[in-house]
Amino acid sequence: PFAPGGDLMLREKSSPSAPEHNLTTKFTLDKGDVSDPEVSYDGKKIVFSMRCPASNSAQIDGLPACTDHWNLWEYDMSTGGLTGGTFKRLTASVAADDVDPVYLPGGQGFVFSSNRQTKSRINQALGHTYDALDEYERQRVLNLHTIDAGGGNLQQISFNQSHDRNPVIRPNGDVMYSRWDHVGGRNHFKVFRMKPDGTDMFVLY
């Protein structure tokens, strides 16, 4: 869902009276939305998903900041402090949505949900591409993907006829996530885990 008026807010400390700062209003111009913020292991960066209308005049690195789709962004406080950090847009899709980002350990990059279907949408035998829809044919299916720390090397690591969402990193480095299991008479979410490269997938419960 998209609810215009959302932004990434930062409060200087854990107190109701602490000053708070709107970090993304210069991009959203009060017409965008932000979700899924996750803090890096060293506490110096925040990765999040942001969507804002392509009609916005905001720019990043000389390019339009908004694409009308959910994209992944990172706010880096390493040098500028809480409010003087720098922004980096990690994905810039104009045809798909990237959400639920989390940091992979050891600076390996990020795992996130996306309806890009980078591999599964390609019909290798016939050379055609298609978008897989959920069982109710309401929306494109979200599966797990990874990118490196700079936003490159995009890889699809999960393949499900329904949605794979909400990845988190377990203490051993595995990716744990929720999988919509909707086959025949089943219609529920189960919790799966796998390695960041997509191998060793197993249902936990």
Side-chain angles (χ1 to χ4, degrees):
F2 172 63
D7 275 296
L8 181 66
M9 307 295 293
L10 186 146
R11 191 178 292 271
E12 292 187 8
K13 58 183 178 180
S14 181
S15 168
S17 61
E20 64 181 23
H21 307 275
N22 187 330
L23 300 177
T24 54
T25 186
K26 64 181 180 180
F27 301 116
T28 63
L29 304 179
D30 300 322
K31 299 176 183 177
D33 198 8
V34 170
S35 69
D36 314 311
E38 291 284 340
V39 179
S40 63
Y41 294 97
D42 62 6
K44 296 180 179 179
K45 299 178 181 179
I46 304 170
V47 65
F48 59 97
S49 183
M50 183 167 67
R51 176 179 170 179
C52 43
S55 58
N56 278 11
S57 59
Q59 293 192 337
I60 179 99
D61 298 328
L63 299 172
C66 304
T67 69
D68 272 329
H69 285 272
W70 291 98
N71 283 293
L72 303 187
W73 290 69
E74 187 178 49
Y75 181 64
D76 188 348
M77 301 171 283
S78 300
T79 56
L82 293 179
T83 60
T86 57
F87 285 92
K88 176 167 54 177
R89 187 173 59 185
L90 298 168
T91 64
S93 177
V94 297
D97 295 297
D98 303 327
V99 294
D100 301 337
V102 293
Y103 285 92
L104 289 169
Q108 299 175 71
F110 310 88
V111 58
F112 61 99
S113 297
S114 178
N115 56 16
R116 295 168 178 264
Q117 303 165 12
T118 306
K119 288 184 179 179
S120 57
R121 72 187 299 267
I122 300 175
N123 185 329
Q124 299 286 0
L126 300 177
H128 301 301
T129 60
Y130 63 93
D131 291 315
L133 303 179
D134 64 24
E135 286 83 351
Y136 300 110
E137 298 186 354
R138 298 174 302 188
Q139 55 186 307
R140 289 160 58 184
V141 168
L142 292 153
N143 280 174
L144 297 187
H145 292 66
T146 60
I147 52 174
D148 62 28
N153 193 26
L154 177 69
Q155 301 288 333
Q156 182 177 351
I157 62 170
S158 81
F159 301 85
N160 185 19
Q161 63 185 2
S162 300
H163 301 294
D164 289 343
R165 295 208 57 182
N166 309 117
V168 297
I169 305 302
R170 304 180 78 197
N172 66 353
D174 285 354
V175 179
M176 185 170 66
Y177 62 99
S178 60
R179 165 165 282 203
W180 187 19
D181 183 12
H182 188 192
V183 178
R186 298 196 304 270
N187 187 11
H188 48 219
F189 279 90
K190 290 192 174 178
V191 178
F192 278 69
R193 64 103 169 112
M194 64 180 170
K195 302 297 183 186
D197 63 359
T199 61
D200 197 27
M201 185 181 71
F202 189 78
V203 60
L204 293 175
Y205 51 85

